[in-house]
């Protein structure tokens, strides 16, 4: 192999590796291994339909390193106009978990809108607890999120020990 071919191959490999990191979900966003946020649910539907609706890979938008699916082009376009209005709070991590200084996954069907903001919970049992004192848990979550949003779950465990 010629030196120039080796250099070109190395540069291409490096560029591909770097681009894969560029598209990886931000650590502040709860996304799966394919960078899909909120398990493919349409985040706009919570506001427009009042219910969680499964999105389609036909209508997508990227935000904060994650991919969001939508049930329609209209919902996708609404999201693109103002993603901060529709994206779930705390990067889609469980709002009650954040109040406990943790990053937990969520069940997109365990949700609540407060003050025009979408909050998700781990499951419906956790949601019941969350709903007993939303203002109090929100106050805790807001303070905790600034500390844990950029941390991995392992780093959070070290802090909480």
């Amino acid at each position: 192999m010629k030196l120039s071919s080796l250099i070109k191959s190395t540069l291409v490999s490096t560029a591909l590796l770097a681009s894969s990191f560029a598209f990886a979900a931000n650590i502040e966003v709860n996304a799966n291994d394919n960078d899909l946020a909120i398990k493919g649910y349409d985040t706009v539907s919570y506001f427009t339909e009042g219910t969680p609706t499964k999105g389609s890979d036909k209508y997508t938008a990227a935000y904060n390193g994650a991919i969001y699916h939508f049930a329609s082009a209209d919902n996708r376009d609404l999201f693109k106009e103002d993603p901060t209005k529709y994206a779930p709070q705390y990067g889609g991590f469980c709002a009650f978990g954040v109040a406990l200084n943790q990053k937990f996954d969520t069940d997109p069907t365990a949700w609540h809108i407060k003050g025009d903001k979408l909050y998700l919970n781990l499951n419906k049992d956790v949601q019941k607890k969350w709903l007993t004192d939303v203002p109090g848990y929100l106050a805790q979550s807001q303070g905790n999120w600034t500390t844990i949003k950029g941390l991995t779950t392992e780093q959070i465990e070290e802090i909480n020990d």
Side-chain angles (χ1 to χ4, degrees), residues 51-158:
T51 188
T53 304
K54 195 75 166 160
S56 165
D57 61 3
K58 184 177 176 182
Y59 309 107
T60 65
Y63 175 65
N64 217 9
I67 300 165
Y68 289 83
H69 283 182
F70 301 93
S72 68
D74 288 342
N75 282 7
R76 178 203 55 214
D77 295 345
L78 282 171
F79 182 84
K80 283 182 168 183
E81 286 174 21
D82 190 0
T84 59
K85 177 178 180 178
Y86 297 106
Q89 299 303 292
Y90 313 123
F93 289 100
C94 175
F96 185 71
V98 174
L100 300 175
N101 213 36
Q102 297 286 338
K103 284 183 175 177
F104 296 142
D105 195 14
T106 55
D107 172 354
T109 66
W111 62 282
H112 181 72
I113 292 177
K114 173 81 173 162
D116 292 330
K117 300 291 182 188
L118 174 63
Y119 299 93
L120 301 174
N121 289 118
L122 176 67
N123 56 43
K124 294 195 178 191
D125 288 333
V126 169
Q127 180 186 33
K128 287 178 189 172
K129 177 68 175 165
W130 166 259
L131 292 173
T132 63
D133 185 14
V134 173
Y137 292 127
L138 278 177
Q140 287 177 275
S141 296
Q142 289 298 106
N144 291 344
W145 185 242
T146 58
T147 303
I148 68 170
K149 68 181 177 180
L151 301 177
T152 65
T153 52
E154 292 79 19
Q155 292 170 321
I156 294 168
E157 287 175 15
E158 287 178 20

